[in-house]
Amino acid sequence: METLKYKGFIGSINVDMEDYTLHGKVLGLEKGTLILYEGKDLLELKQDFEGAVDDYIEYCKTNNLPLHKSYSGTFNVRISPELHAKIAMSAHSLGISLNAYIQKVLTTTIL
């Protein structure tokens, strides 16, 4: 999937085949925050994306609100208590925290 990146924000690129336009939204924002943009071509889409991000940043500054960028680095996962115990014991046996263990497993599995 192709994305746009600007000032720590990541945006999607979607094609509307009915009117041959492009649109997208900033990904990974907290619930209740929505930033949309559109364009007739990739250059216009990129410009509108960057303008929308700049507007959001300015809005947060003006209204003294916290700025939430794409993907904060925190997420919750629900698993069974048994799996939780197994993962915790694996982390303990390596002498690392549960968080460090999960990062290690995800990094070696995905990257």
Side-chain angles (χ1 to χ4, degrees):
M1 172 172 81
E2 296 292 328
T3 57
L4 299 168
K5 296 175 180 73
Y6 181 65
K7 295 186 177 178
F9 293 86
I10 301 170
S12 65
I13 300 173
N14 301 299
V15 179
D16 185 331
M17 294 304 289
E18 288 184 25
D19 62 4
Y20 299 103
T21 59
L22 301 168
H23 64 277
K25 70 177 183 176
V26 175
L27 304 172
L29 297 175
E30 72 172 11
K31 187 176 182 177
T33 302
L34 181 63
I35 303 173
L36 303 173
Y37 46 91
E38 62 186 10
K40 291 180 274 188
D41 55 39
L42 283 174
L43 180 60
E44 192 174 291
L45 183 74
K46 181 178 184 282
Q47 291 170 340
D48 201 44
F49 165 68
E50 291 176 357
V53 167
D54 287 338
D55 289 347
Y56 171 68
I57 292 169
E58 185 60 34
Y59 176 81
C60 289
K61 284 181 186 177
T62 301
N63 294 288
N64 199 27
L65 297 170
L67 182 66
H68 299 283
K69 295 187 178 184
S70 296
Y71 305 107
S72 66
T74 301
F75 65 96
N76 295 317
V77 178
R78 288 179 177 77
I79 57 175
S80 69
E82 296 80 18
L83 181 57
H84 189 173
K86 287 179 183 177
I87 295 168
M89 294 306 294
S90 293
H92 179 74
S93 70
L94 294 174
I96 59 176
S97 69
L98 182 59
N99 189 60
Y101 181 78
I102 297 295
Q103 287 183 41
K104 180 181 177 78
V105 169
L106 290 174
T107 300
T108 57
T109 303
I110 296 172
L111 305 176

PDB file of all heavy atoms in Angstrom, residues 3 15 19 25-26 36 45-47 49-50 53 56 60 62 71-72 76 80 82 92-95 102 106 108:
ATOM      1  N   THR A   3       1.616   5.151   0.635  1.00  0.00           N
ATOM      2  CA  THR A   3       1.155   6.130   1.609  1.00  0.00           C
ATOM      3  C   THR A   3       1.891   7.448   1.411  1.00  0.00           C
ATOM      4  O   THR A   3       2.931   7.507   0.754  1.00  0.00           O
ATOM      5  CB  THR A   3       1.393   5.643   3.049  1.00  0.00           C
ATOM      6  OG1 THR A   3       2.783   5.357   3.227  1.00  0.00           O
ATOM      7  CG2 THR A   3       0.560   4.413   3.371  1.00  0.00           C
ATOM      8  N   VAL A  15      -8.268   5.710  -4.684  1.00  0.00           N
ATOM      9  CA  VAL A  15      -8.728   6.158  -5.991  1.00  0.00           C
ATOM     10  C   VAL A  15     -10.236   5.997  -6.079  1.00  0.00           C
ATOM     11  O   VAL A  15     -10.771   4.943  -5.743  1.00  0.00           O
ATOM     12  CB  VAL A  15      -8.059   5.332  -7.117  1.00  0.00           C
ATOM     13  CG1 VAL A  15      -8.552   5.778  -8.479  1.00  0.00           C
ATOM     14  CG2 VAL A  15      -6.545   5.412  -7.030  1.00  0.00           C
ATOM     15  N   ASP A  19     -15.303   9.243 -10.348  1.00  0.00           N
ATOM     16  CA  ASP A  19     -14.991  10.593 -10.810  1.00  0.00           C
ATOM     17  C   ASP A  19     -13.490  10.810 -11.031  1.00  0.00           C
ATOM     18  O   ASP A  19     -13.053  11.931 -11.243  1.00  0.00           O
ATOM     19  CB  ASP A  19     -15.570  11.645  -9.867  1.00  0.00           C
ATOM     20  CG  ASP A  19     -14.989  11.569  -8.457  1.00  0.00           C
ATOM     21  OD1 ASP A  19     -14.089  10.762  -8.205  1.00  0.00           O
ATOM     22  OD2 ASP A  19     -15.466  12.346  -7.607  1.00  0.00           O
ATOM     23  N   LYS A  25      -7.046   9.602   4.030  1.00  0.00           N
ATOM     24  CA  LYS A  25      -7.182  10.064   5.411  1.00  0.00           C
ATOM     25  C   LYS A  25      -5.886   9.748   6.146  1.00  0.00           C
ATOM     26  O   LYS A  25      -5.153   8.825   5.782  1.00  0.00           O
ATOM     27  CB  LYS A  25      -8.382   9.426   6.105  1.00  0.00           C
ATOM     28  CG  LYS A  25      -8.235   7.953   6.399  1.00  0.00           C
ATOM     29  CD  LYS A  25      -9.458   7.446   7.151  1.00  0.00           C
ATOM     30  CE  LYS A  25      -9.286   5.989   7.515  1.00  0.00           C
ATOM     31  NZ  LYS A  25     -10.392   5.495   8.323  1.00  0.00           N
ATOM     32  N   VAL A  26      -5.625  10.536   7.170  1.00  0.00           N
ATOM     33  CA  VAL A  26      -4.448  10.298   7.997  1.00  0.00           C
ATOM     34  C   VAL A  26      -4.716   9.049   8.826  1.00  0.00           C
ATOM     35  O   VAL A  26      -5.770   8.910   9.445  1.00  0.00           O
ATOM     36  CB  VAL A  26      -4.120  11.520   8.881  1.00  0.00           C
ATOM     37  CG1 VAL A  26      -2.962  11.205   9.814  1.00  0.00           C
ATOM     38  CG2 VAL A  26      -3.786  12.723   8.005  1.00  0.00           C
ATOM     39  N   LEU A  36      -9.027  14.377   6.585  1.00  0.00           N
ATOM     40  CA  LEU A  36      -9.269  13.927   5.217  1.00  0.00           C
ATOM     41  C   LEU A  36      -8.643  14.906   4.231  1.00  0.00           C
ATOM     42  O   LEU A  36      -8.468  16.086   4.541  1.00  0.00           O
ATOM     43  CB  LEU A  36     -10.775  13.852   4.950  1.00  0.00           C
ATOM     44  CG  LEU A  36     -11.590  12.957   5.875  1.00  0.00           C
ATOM     45  CD1 LEU A  36     -13.072  13.118   5.594  1.00  0.00           C
ATOM     46  CD2 LEU A  36     -11.165  11.510   5.719  1.00  0.00           C
ATOM     47  N   LEU A  45      -3.051  15.857  -4.404  1.00  0.00           N
ATOM     48  CA  LEU A  45      -3.357  15.063  -3.209  1.00  0.00           C
ATOM     49  C   LEU A  45      -2.308  15.304  -2.130  1.00  0.00           C
ATOM     50  O   LEU A  45      -2.636  15.527  -0.971  1.00  0.00           O
ATOM     51  CB  LEU A  45      -3.418  13.573  -3.565  1.00  0.00           C
ATOM     52  CG  LEU A  45      -3.796  12.651  -2.409  1.00  0.00           C
ATOM     53  CD1 LEU A  45      -5.280  12.772  -2.095  1.00  0.00           C
ATOM     54  CD2 LEU A  45      -3.436  11.213  -2.737  1.00  0.00           C
ATOM     55  N   LYS A  46      -1.033  15.270  -2.518  1.00  0.00           N
ATOM     56  CA  LYS A  46       0.069  15.494  -1.572  1.00  0.00           C
ATOM     57  C   LYS A  46      -0.028  16.887  -0.954  1.00  0.00           C
ATOM     58  O   LYS A  46       0.137  17.053   0.253  1.00  0.00           O
ATOM     59  CB  LYS A  46       1.413  15.304  -2.273  1.00  0.00           C
ATOM     60  CG  LYS A  46       2.613  15.486  -1.376  1.00  0.00           C
ATOM     61  CD  LYS A  46       3.901  15.229  -2.165  1.00  0.00           C
ATOM     62  CE  LYS A  46       5.130  15.305  -1.304  1.00  0.00           C
ATOM     63  NZ  LYS A  46       5.538  16.670  -1.005  1.00  0.00           N
ATOM     64  N   GLN A  47      -0.312  17.888  -1.773  1.00  0.00           N
ATOM     65  CA  GLN A  47      -0.426  19.260  -1.269  1.00  0.00           C
ATOM     66  C   GLN A  47      -1.586  19.398  -0.292  1.00  0.00           C
ATOM     67  O   GLN A  47      -1.453  20.050   0.750  1.00  0.00           O
ATOM     68  CB  GLN A  47      -0.583  20.240  -2.433  1.00  0.00           C
ATOM     69  CG  GLN A  47       0.661  20.379  -3.264  1.00  0.00           C
ATOM     70  CD  GLN A  47       0.451  21.160  -4.559  1.00  0.00           C
ATOM     71  OE1 GLN A  47      -0.681  21.298  -5.041  1.00  0.00           O
ATOM     72  NE2 GLN A  47       1.532  21.654  -5.126  1.00  0.00           N
ATOM     73  N   PHE A  49      -2.930  16.940   1.485  1.00  0.00           N
ATOM     74  CA  PHE A  49      -2.541  16.167   2.669  1.00  0.00           C
ATOM     75  C   PHE A  49      -1.672  17.017   3.591  1.00  0.00           C
ATOM     76  O   PHE A  49      -1.933  17.139   4.787  1.00  0.00           O
ATOM     77  CB  PHE A  49      -1.809  14.899   2.231  1.00  0.00           C
ATOM     78  CG  PHE A  49      -1.041  14.188   3.313  1.00  0.00           C
ATOM     79  CD1 PHE A  49      -1.697  13.570   4.366  1.00  0.00           C
ATOM     80  CD2 PHE A  49       0.340  14.114   3.262  1.00  0.00           C
ATOM     81  CE1 PHE A  49      -0.989  12.900   5.359  1.00  0.00           C
ATOM     82  CE2 PHE A  49       1.055  13.453   4.241  1.00  0.00           C
ATOM     83  CZ  PHE A  49       0.393  12.840   5.300  1.00  0.00           C
ATOM     84  N   GLU A  50      -0.633  17.619   3.023  1.00  0.00           N
ATOM     85  CA  GLU A  50       0.275  18.436   3.840  1.00  0.00           C
ATOM     86  C   GLU A  50      -0.453  19.647   4.425  1.00  0.00           C
ATOM     87  O   GLU A  50      -0.230  20.004   5.584  1.00  0.00           O
ATOM     88  CB  GLU A  50       1.490  18.849   3.013  1.00  0.00           C
ATOM     89  CG  GLU A  50       2.382  17.666   2.684  1.00  0.00           C
ATOM     90  CD  GLU A  50       3.550  18.002   1.782  1.00  0.00           C
ATOM     91  OE1 GLU A  50       3.681  19.178   1.336  1.00  0.00           O
ATOM     92  OE2 GLU A  50       4.355  17.080   1.502  1.00  0.00           O
ATOM     93  N   VAL A  53      -2.576  18.440   7.347  1.00  0.00           N
ATOM     94  CA  VAL A  53      -1.729  18.170   8.520  1.00  0.00           C
ATOM     95  C   VAL A  53      -1.325  19.485   9.180  1.00  0.00           C
ATOM     96  O   VAL A  53      -1.413  19.635  10.398  1.00  0.00           O
ATOM     97  CB  VAL A  53      -0.497  17.324   8.132  1.00  0.00           C
ATOM     98  CG1 VAL A  53       0.524  17.314   9.257  1.00  0.00           C
ATOM     99  CG2 VAL A  53      -0.916  15.906   7.763  1.00  0.00           C
ATOM    100  N   TYR A  56      -4.226  20.908  11.063  1.00  0.00           N
ATOM    101  CA  TYR A  56      -4.450  20.163  12.311  1.00  0.00           C
ATOM    102  C   TYR A  56      -3.440  20.583  13.377  1.00  0.00           C
ATOM    103  O   TYR A  56      -3.803  20.822  14.529  1.00  0.00           O
ATOM    104  CB  TYR A  56      -4.369  18.662  12.045  1.00  0.00           C
ATOM    105  CG  TYR A  56      -4.383  17.811  13.289  1.00  0.00           C
ATOM    106  CD1 TYR A  56      -5.514  17.723  14.081  1.00  0.00           C
ATOM    107  CD2 TYR A  56      -3.251  17.086  13.672  1.00  0.00           C
ATOM    108  CE1 TYR A  56      -5.528  16.944  15.237  1.00  0.00           C
ATOM    109  CE2 TYR A  56      -3.254  16.307  14.816  1.00  0.00           C
ATOM    110  CZ  TYR A  56      -4.393  16.241  15.594  1.00  0.00           C
ATOM    111  OH  TYR A  56      -4.404  15.478  16.729  1.00  0.00           O
ATOM    112  N   CYS A  60      -4.399  22.440  16.910  1.00  0.00           N
ATOM    113  CA  CYS A  60      -3.996  21.939  18.233  1.00  0.00           C
ATOM    114  C   CYS A  60      -3.242  23.005  19.022  1.00  0.00           C
ATOM    115  O   CYS A  60      -3.481  23.183  20.215  1.00  0.00           O
ATOM    116  CB  CYS A  60      -3.155  20.673  18.087  1.00  0.00           C
ATOM    117  SG  CYS A  60      -4.109  19.238  17.546  1.00  0.00           S
ATOM    118  N   THR A  62      -3.368  26.358  18.607  1.00  0.00           N
ATOM    119  CA  THR A  62      -4.270  27.469  18.909  1.00  0.00           C
ATOM    120  C   THR A  62      -5.204  27.149  20.065  1.00  0.00           C
ATOM    121  O   THR A  62      -5.500  27.998  20.904  1.00  0.00           O
ATOM    122  CB  THR A  62      -5.097  27.844  17.660  1.00  0.00           C
ATOM    123  OG1 THR A  62      -4.206  28.212  16.611  1.00  0.00           O
ATOM    124  CG2 THR A  62      -6.054  28.985  17.950  1.00  0.00           C
ATOM    125  N   TYR A  71      -0.011   6.606  14.687  1.00  0.00           N
ATOM    126  CA  TYR A  71       0.557   5.470  15.405  1.00  0.00           C
ATOM    127  C   TYR A  71       1.448   5.910  16.560  1.00  0.00           C
ATOM    128  O   TYR A  71       2.632   6.144  16.410  1.00  0.00           O
ATOM    129  CB  TYR A  71       1.313   4.544  14.451  1.00  0.00           C
ATOM    130  CG  TYR A  71       0.435   4.098  13.327  1.00  0.00           C
ATOM    131  CD1 TYR A  71       0.612   4.592  12.040  1.00  0.00           C
ATOM    132  CD2 TYR A  71      -0.610   3.220  13.551  1.00  0.00           C
ATOM    133  CE1 TYR A  71      -0.207   4.205  11.007  1.00  0.00           C
ATOM    134  CE2 TYR A  71      -1.443   2.822  12.522  1.00  0.00           C
ATOM    135  CZ  TYR A  71      -1.235   3.316  11.252  1.00  0.00           C
ATOM    136  OH  TYR A  71      -2.060   2.933  10.229  1.00  0.00           O
ATOM    137  N   SER A  72       0.852   5.975  17.724  1.00  0.00           N
ATOM    138  CA  SER A  72       1.519   6.482  18.922  1.00  0.00           C
ATOM    139  C   SER A  72       2.603   5.542  19.455  1.00  0.00           C
ATOM    140  O   SER A  72       3.452   5.945  20.224  1.00  0.00           O
ATOM    141  CB  SER A  72       0.488   6.707  20.031  1.00  0.00           C
ATOM    142  OG  SER A  72      -0.060   5.458  20.451  1.00  0.00           O
ATOM    143  N   ASN A  76      -3.191  -2.141  22.544  1.00  0.00           N
ATOM    144  CA  ASN A  76      -3.607  -3.202  23.452  1.00  0.00           C
ATOM    145  C   ASN A  76      -3.980  -4.434  22.647  1.00  0.00           C
ATOM    146  O   ASN A  76      -4.607  -4.331  21.600  1.00  0.00           O
ATOM    147  CB  ASN A  76      -4.816  -2.773  24.285  1.00  0.00           C
ATOM    148  CG  ASN A  76      -4.488  -1.633  25.212  1.00  0.00           C
ATOM    149  OD1 ASN A  76      -3.437  -1.636  25.835  1.00  0.00           O
ATOM    150  ND2 ASN A  76      -5.366  -0.670  25.307  1.00  0.00           N
ATOM    151  N   SER A  80      -5.609 -14.848  25.649  1.00  0.00           N
ATOM    152  CA  SER A  80      -6.070 -15.679  26.764  1.00  0.00           C
ATOM    153  C   SER A  80      -5.090 -15.562  27.933  1.00  0.00           C
ATOM    154  O   SER A  80      -3.896 -15.294  27.737  1.00  0.00           O
ATOM    155  CB  SER A  80      -6.159 -17.142  26.324  1.00  0.00           C
ATOM    156  OG  SER A  80      -4.862 -17.666  26.113  1.00  0.00           O
ATOM    157  N   GLU A  82      -3.841 -17.919  29.570  1.00  0.00           N
ATOM    158  CA  GLU A  82      -2.821 -18.964  29.410  1.00  0.00           C
ATOM    159  C   GLU A  82      -1.694 -18.502  28.490  1.00  0.00           C
ATOM    160  O   GLU A  82      -0.512 -18.695  28.793  1.00  0.00           O
ATOM    161  CB  GLU A  82      -3.463 -20.252  28.848  1.00  0.00           C
ATOM    162  CG  GLU A  82      -4.487 -20.897  29.765  1.00  0.00           C
ATOM    163  CD  GLU A  82      -5.856 -20.242  29.727  1.00  0.00           C
ATOM    164  OE1 GLU A  82      -6.167 -19.497  28.768  1.00  0.00           O
ATOM    165  OE2 GLU A  82      -6.638 -20.470  30.685  1.00  0.00           O
ATOM    166  N   HIS A  92      10.535 -13.730  31.079  1.00  0.00           N
ATOM    167  CA  HIS A  92      11.250 -13.880  32.347  1.00  0.00           C
ATOM    168  C   HIS A  92      12.484 -14.774  32.178  1.00  0.00           C
ATOM    169  O   HIS A  92      13.556 -14.467  32.710  1.00  0.00           O
ATOM    170  CB  HIS A  92      10.313 -14.454  33.412  1.00  0.00           C
ATOM    171  CG  HIS A  92      10.973 -14.656  34.734  1.00  0.00           C
ATOM    172  ND1 HIS A  92      11.289 -13.603  35.564  1.00  0.00           N
ATOM    173  CD2 HIS A  92      11.396 -15.780  35.350  1.00  0.00           C
ATOM    174  CE1 HIS A  92      11.879 -14.068  36.646  1.00  0.00           C
ATOM    175  NE2 HIS A  92      11.945 -15.402  36.544  1.00  0.00           N
ATOM    176  N   SER A  93      12.334 -15.846  31.416  1.00  0.00           N
ATOM    177  CA  SER A  93      13.469 -16.765  31.229  1.00  0.00           C
ATOM    178  C   SER A  93      14.620 -16.103  30.468  1.00  0.00           C
ATOM    179  O   SER A  93      15.771 -16.489  30.616  1.00  0.00           O
ATOM    180  CB  SER A  93      13.024 -18.045  30.504  1.00  0.00           C
ATOM    181  OG  SER A  93      12.706 -17.764  29.161  1.00  0.00           O
ATOM    182  N   LEU A  94      14.302 -15.081  29.654  1.00  0.00           N
ATOM    183  CA  LEU A  94      15.338 -14.333  28.938  1.00  0.00           C
ATOM    184  C   LEU A  94      15.846 -13.139  29.739  1.00  0.00           C
ATOM    185  O   LEU A  94      16.778 -12.452  29.321  1.00  0.00           O
ATOM    186  CB  LEU A  94      14.797 -13.842  27.595  1.00  0.00           C
ATOM    187  CG  LEU A  94      14.458 -14.917  26.567  1.00  0.00           C
ATOM    188  CD1 LEU A  94      13.788 -14.299  25.348  1.00  0.00           C
ATOM    189  CD2 LEU A  94      15.709 -15.692  26.160  1.00  0.00           C
ATOM    190  N   GLY A  95      15.206 -12.884  30.869  1.00  0.00           N
ATOM    191  CA  GLY A  95      15.629 -11.769  31.722  1.00  0.00           C
ATOM    192  C   GLY A  95      15.241 -10.407  31.164  1.00  0.00           C
ATOM    193  O   GLY A  95      15.923  -9.418  31.429  1.00  0.00           O
ATOM    194  N   ILE A 102       7.921  -8.787  23.599  1.00  0.00           N
ATOM    195  CA  ILE A 102       6.968  -8.614  22.497  1.00  0.00           C
ATOM    196  C   ILE A 102       7.624  -7.847  21.350  1.00  0.00           C
ATOM    197  O   ILE A 102       7.486  -8.209  20.180  1.00  0.00           O
ATOM    198  CB  ILE A 102       5.682  -7.886  22.964  1.00  0.00           C
ATOM    199  CG1 ILE A 102       4.947  -8.729  24.013  1.00  0.00           C
ATOM    200  CG2 ILE A 102       4.782  -7.535  21.798  1.00  0.00           C
ATOM    201  CD1 ILE A 102       4.400 -10.042  23.518  1.00  0.00           C
ATOM    202  N   LEU A 106       8.076  -9.443  17.634  1.00  0.00           N
ATOM    203  CA  LEU A 106       7.480  -8.772  16.478  1.00  0.00           C
ATOM    204  C   LEU A 106       8.545  -8.312  15.483  1.00  0.00           C
ATOM    205  O   LEU A 106       8.354  -8.437  14.274  1.00  0.00           O
ATOM    206  CB  LEU A 106       6.614  -7.591  16.930  1.00  0.00           C
ATOM    207  CG  LEU A 106       5.334  -7.957  17.650  1.00  0.00           C
ATOM    208  CD1 LEU A 106       4.622  -6.710  18.175  1.00  0.00           C
ATOM    209  CD2 LEU A 106       4.406  -8.765  16.769  1.00  0.00           C
ATOM    210  N   THR A 108      11.573  -9.584  14.951  1.00  0.00           N
ATOM    211  CA  THR A 108      12.190 -10.702  14.236  1.00  0.00           C
ATOM    212  C   THR A 108      11.184 -11.411  13.322  1.00  0.00           C
ATOM    213  O   THR A 108      11.572 -11.991  12.324  1.00  0.00           O
ATOM    214  CB  THR A 108      12.811 -11.725  15.209  1.00  0.00           C
ATOM    215  OG1 THR A 108      11.814 -12.196  16.112  1.00  0.00           O
ATOM    216  CG2 THR A 108      13.953 -11.091  15.986  1.00  0.00           C
TER     217      THR A 108
END
